[in-house]
Amino acid sequence: PVFIDSFAGSWIFKPEAGFTKAKFIYSIKSKKWALPFIKDRMAAWYFLSVVKRRLNGLKSYCESVT
């Protein structure tokens, strides 16, 4: 999105007994175009919706191959 200045992320998967633990870490820096509470809420909303869609896709894939 245009309001992002920099973005980094990592997904860490750790096998456990009978399941896999997943940890998602993101670092987001937005451009200075609006008041912090506005741009931070917009970035949080955007990434929440993106992450939910990706996790649902990952879940569907994992369930289809097992």
Side-chain angles (χ1 to χ4, degrees):
V2 297
F3 58 87
I4 299 298
D5 190 34
S6 65
F7 172 83
S10 64
W11 290 20
I12 302 165
F13 297 93
K14 182 179 178 187
E16 299 284 338
F19 65 97
T20 299
K21 186 181 284 188
K23 184 176 183 179
F24 306 99
I25 303 169
Y26 295 102
S27 175
I28 304 162
K29 184 177 178 185
S30 55
K31 294 179 181 175
K32 297 179 180 179
W33 59 270
L35 296 173
F37 69 90
I38 294 172
K39 66 181 182 168
D40 291 347
R41 286 182 190 222
M42 179 180 274
W45 170 83
Y46 173 79
F47 281 101
L48 179 63
S49 65
V50 168
V51 168
K52 280 184 177 182
R53 284 193 313 262
R54 289 183 179 186
L55 287 174
N56 284 333
L58 177 61
K59 179 180 183 279
S60 295
Y61 172 77
C62 290
E63 291 173 344
S64 71
V65 297
T66 57

